[in-house]
Amino acid sequence: MRPIIFSKMDFSHSSLFGYIEDLQELTIIERPVRRSLKTPEEIERLTVDEELSDIERAVYLLSSGQDVQGTSVVANLPVLMRQNPAETLRRVLPKIREVLHVAGVEMQLTAAVSFLTVLQEESVSIHTYSHSFLHIILQNLEHRDAGVSNAWLETLLAVIEALPKETVRHEILNPLVSKAQLSQTLQSRLVSCKIMGKVANKFEAHIIKREVLPLVKSLCQDVEYEVRTCMCRQLEHVARGIGTELTKTVVLPELVELARDEGSSVRLAAFETLVNLLDMFDADDRSQTVLPLVKSFCEKSFKADESILVSLSFHLGKLCNGLYGIFTPEQHLRFLEFYKKLSTLGLQQENGHNDNQLHLQTLEQEKKYISVRKNCAYNFPAMIVFVDPKNFHLELYSIFFCLCHDPEVPVRYTMAISFFEVAKLLNSDVYTIHKELVTLLQDESLEVLDALVGHLPEILELMTNGGENNGSEGKLLSIPDLIPALTTAEQRAATSLKWRTHEKLLQKYACLPHIISSDQIYYRFLHRMLTIILTNNVLPVQKAAARTLCVYLRYNRKQEQRHEVIQKLIEQLGQGKSYWNRLRFLDTCEFIMELFSKSFFCKYFFLPVLELTHDPVANVRMKLCCLLPKVKSTLKIPTDKHLLQQLELCIRKLLCQEKDKDVLTIVKRTVLELDRMEISVDAFQKRFYENDLLDQEKERQEHLLLEMEQLEKEKQKNEGRSTNINDKMFEKKRRDSKTSSVLAKSINLSVSGSSSGTSAGKEEKKSKLVRSQSFSTQVLHPKYSNIDKCPNKSSATGYTSSVSGMGKSCMLSFSDDSFRTHSAGNSGNAAFPSSSSRNLFNSAEQKNNGNKESQSRKMSM
């Protein structure tokens, strides 16, 4: 095949005429469309007098209108019943009953839905409904179209739940005896089976035994396998209605007989009903009747009856746990091996593929095997309970690995959904499945990632906290490969077209401050969130990134990094060239007000927000005006009195200078709302007590972060000082060892005059080192270790009670003479003792030590 060569398009005069002729030929396509429109005569027939009332118009359309108009009236029946129920029942409903005899499929389906809607909305009493609507429903149950018949049957089953017992008995149960006979049509007998299952829960056991069970037995032995299958699936409802004793004597023998039926669909229905009724059988019935049947099903599923394989794999978890108490160790092992075999069904050929294989799998077989493995993934948590979580690594880890790496997406998707359940069951052994979590996070299918993200915060919390009994080393080793997996997952979601998955992922990533350290978040995730806000084109994704960024900022433990992020938000968003970025800045400010204290917002964001009142784009000013009430609520009087004056000045400028009508309307409405607002004061007030208390807690936590940072700096400073002293002492010893013996006398003479000063300096350094070490060991180390653990045990919206308790303990332990803290109202920084007192103490100590050393040296000389 030769390659197609595209030549340059010719825009000459002759070629343009050719293009125009081609376009004129395309207009021929429009002609058939015009012919399909309604003619004036048809429009005349469809026209209705506008002066008619709704009831009159409905009667007219049902009498002489077309099918489309009649269908619209039937669809509008619930509205008519709400507006005028008496007239609708008297005039409209009889017409609908007449029309339904000759109506088409569309009108029949619409009527079934409308009748059900009238019942659900309770437009009339149940007595009136049964008198007016029930007969129409029963007349259309045996419609020749199966879809219409099923629609009316669903409506009837819903009506049976609401009808009184006597009405059900006379109107439904008594006629059911004749319709369930073998002489009736197949459709009639199928409808009777489903009604039997619904009616069984309506009456007492003795009525069911006398009037329902004979019909049930008759239908279970029907000549048509469809009827036997349908009745077999209703036996569960019948058993729930008649109780345990009758189930054992009547229902169980029927199920055993149906389980040996010649029809595969009947056997399948019997097996599923047996599994669903396990809780109603005692231990003897389970061991003597149910277990032999289940074993025969399992043996035949691979040999002669593969039709039951999918259902068996779906119910295997429920079956194993339901029969757990009667299993012998050998039977327990056999069912576990059976599950393992099902979990890898269809994958054996991949390892040793042979081109000359005679037994090639058909497409249907492949679909069946995929469904089986998917069901095994669905039942995996139940199988962990079956083998005991302690034996997971020995018995089930290999199967877990295979299912997480299955070549088919539905299997991996199901594993991703059940991953959280598996992690909860493993508890302290959750570290064993960390690699599979990384694998699913890096899965090529975004469906798998979307399924995993739903419980990602809970999974990560279990991963980091669940293995505490195994020591902290395992936790620290598990983090390095987890962070690249999280970043890769976000990048793959960002490059795809599935923005909802990306939004969901960003929302769940807000849990990371409780999982990993502040520095890791700052360098690996925080700047990425800012990039998404600036570059992404999807508004929900940008808002999710903005909120997650605010959460990261909320838990950042370094003031320098916080100031850098705040500056970038103001410069790149609040003062950005694109109006879209400035709008996102206002969204970010909303999240700041939600997550941070009022004082924090007023300190960093209040004035940058007010600057947007001069924005050249009307949409930005409009959004700002809508935000102003929230902005005003962050003020406290008299502390923020100057900010309140700035706010009032900006509003006056907007009222005087605004030219856009829409913005001006919103400004006037906002002014009225601001006038009605009451500003909170610094002291607590009853009306604002809860909000003030919450704000005080946020402010206390922000001060706590500053104290934690100060403690960390002091610790690093003390450690660096001790290392410098040790290095100097080592260097002096090395020099002294190299000193020549010839200069020893002169050096001794010179040292005798200056040794007092140097020794005093050494003693001073030693005393400082001892004080710093005692300070770090007594105050910093235990508290600092608690501080490091805080993010792991805090909630998504703020620190938990453990953090607040830690903060209180910090405040109490720092109340000694060596370390004090200011009150929360003044500052959150730690206040050390004054340098003058410390210098006086050191100088006095230095003099004493110097005098003692000089006296000792003179005595020795």
Side-chain angles (χ1 to χ4, degrees), residues 623-640:
K623 187 175 182 65
L624 172 63
C625 293
C626 297
L627 192 65
L628 285 179
K630 288 186 178 180
V631 172
K632 186 178 179 181
S633 65
T634 61
L635 298 176
K636 290 183 179 180
I637 300 300
T639 306
D640 301 323

Side-chain angles (χ1 to χ4, degrees), residues 821-852:
T821 55
H822 287 297
S823 63
N826 297 328
S827 173
N829 296 325
F832 289 92
S834 62
S835 58
S836 60
S837 61
R838 185 178 298 176
N839 292 332
L840 289 172
F841 174 77
N842 291 338
S843 61
E845 184 182 3
Q846 184 177 355
K847 287 179 181 179
N848 293 332
N849 293 335
N851 294 330
K852 289 179 182 179

Side-chain angles (χ1 to χ4, degrees), residues 728-833:
K728 288 179 180 179
M729 292 178 67
F730 177 77
E731 186 66 22
K732 188 177 184 306
K733 288 181 180 180
R734 188 178 63 82
R735 289 174 187 169
D736 292 342
S737 64
K738 291 182 179 180
T739 305
S740 174
S741 60
V742 178
L743 300 176
K745 185 180 289 187
S746 61
I747 291 174
N748 287 332
L749 291 173
S750 64
V751 167
S752 64
S754 62
S755 60
S756 61
T758 56
S759 61
K762 288 181 183 179
E763 291 299 325
E764 179 187 358
K765 291 178 180 179
K766 284 182 181 179
S767 63
K768 287 184 179 180
L769 178 60
V770 169
R771 283 205 313 276
S772 65
Q773 286 178 348
S774 64
F775 175 76
S776 62
T777 54
Q778 292 176 7
V779 178
L780 280 176
H781 287 300
K783 301 303 174 187
Y784 190 72
S785 63
N786 289 337
I787 288 169
D788 285 339
K789 291 180 182 178
C790 275
N792 293 333
K793 297 183 179 179
S794 56
S795 63
T797 57
Y799 288 102
T800 57
S801 59
S802 63
V803 179
S804 62
M806 181 271 294
K808 291 177 183 177
S809 62
C810 286
M811 299 284 282
L812 291 173
S813 62
F814 299 154
S815 61
D816 56 349
D817 295 333
S818 61
F819 188 75
R820 298 179 185 272
T821 55
H822 287 297
S823 63
N826 297 328
S827 173
N829 296 325
F832 289 92

Side-chain angles (χ1 to χ4, degrees), residues 411-437:
V411 181
R412 303 197 305 274
Y413 175 83
T414 308
M415 285 305 299
I417 291 177
S418 60
F419 198 94
F420 175 54
E421 295 296 328
V422 173
K424 281 198 301 184
L425 290 170
L426 293 180
N427 198 6
S428 61
D429 295 331
V430 70
Y431 65 93
T432 56
I433 61 172
H434 174 262
K435 293 181 180 179
E436 283 67 37
L437 173 64

